[in-house]
Amino acid sequence: SRVQGRPSIWTRSGGRSRRGAGERMKQELKVNGMELLNMRIPIRITSKKNGKNWNPKIRRYFNTQATKVLTNTIAWAAKTHRVMTEPTTAPVAMELICHFKDKRHSDTANCPEIVCDALESIIYYNDRQIGPLIVIPCECGEDALTVRVRTTDPQEGTCVDA
């Protein structure tokens, strides 16, 4: 499968960094760090914002059933593929490879939100522990999601040796 698009690092503020930094961080994720999770799920990725409806009676947004099913599917897959039995307290780095059938549904802007919320209290205690987050869109003829989570060093911001 050939990767289409550029890898990018998403910061906590939601901004993107340069392409070279994303490729460099991707190499660091592959080489260093203790791997906490490495899984591929054959699901169609949807945005959490697309799965919200407005309820005028209570004046709030609520998640649709499809969003809840997607979150539960990711959470149960993570429970079966995780390395540790307890969530880690260490900072982590995450790499998401979003596989799409075609370009029509290849929006990766809001994909990390639903995955980070699904893995909370399974792989890590709070999604504030996520340091570098790489999102790579891939057009390969099938809908799937690949998630890799590794520990990172809090002082240097790079992955630590296992």
Side-chain angles (χ1 to χ4, degrees), residues 4 7 19 46 49 68 73 84 87 104 114-116 120 126 136 143 145:
Q4 300 288 327
R19 177 182 163 95
T46 58
K49 290 188 178 178
K68 291 177 184 176
T73 303
M84 302 169 59
R104 287 183 296 165
I114 198 165
V115 176
C116 293
E120 193 169 333
N126 194 336
I136 303 172
D143 289 327
L145 173 69

Side-chain angles (χ1 to χ4, degrees), residues 52-62:
K52 287 187 177 179
N53 289 332
W54 176 256
N55 187 340
K57 288 184 180 180
I58 59 173
R59 297 180 186 209
R60 287 181 43 183
Y61 283 100
F62 65 94

Side-chain angles (χ1 to χ4, degrees), residues 36-41 76-83 123:
L36 300 176
L37 179 69
N38 188 355
M39 66 177 182
R40 181 184 169 108
I41 314 168
W76 278 107
K79 286 179 182 178
T80 59
H81 287 88
R82 66 182 172 184
V83 175
I123 304 300

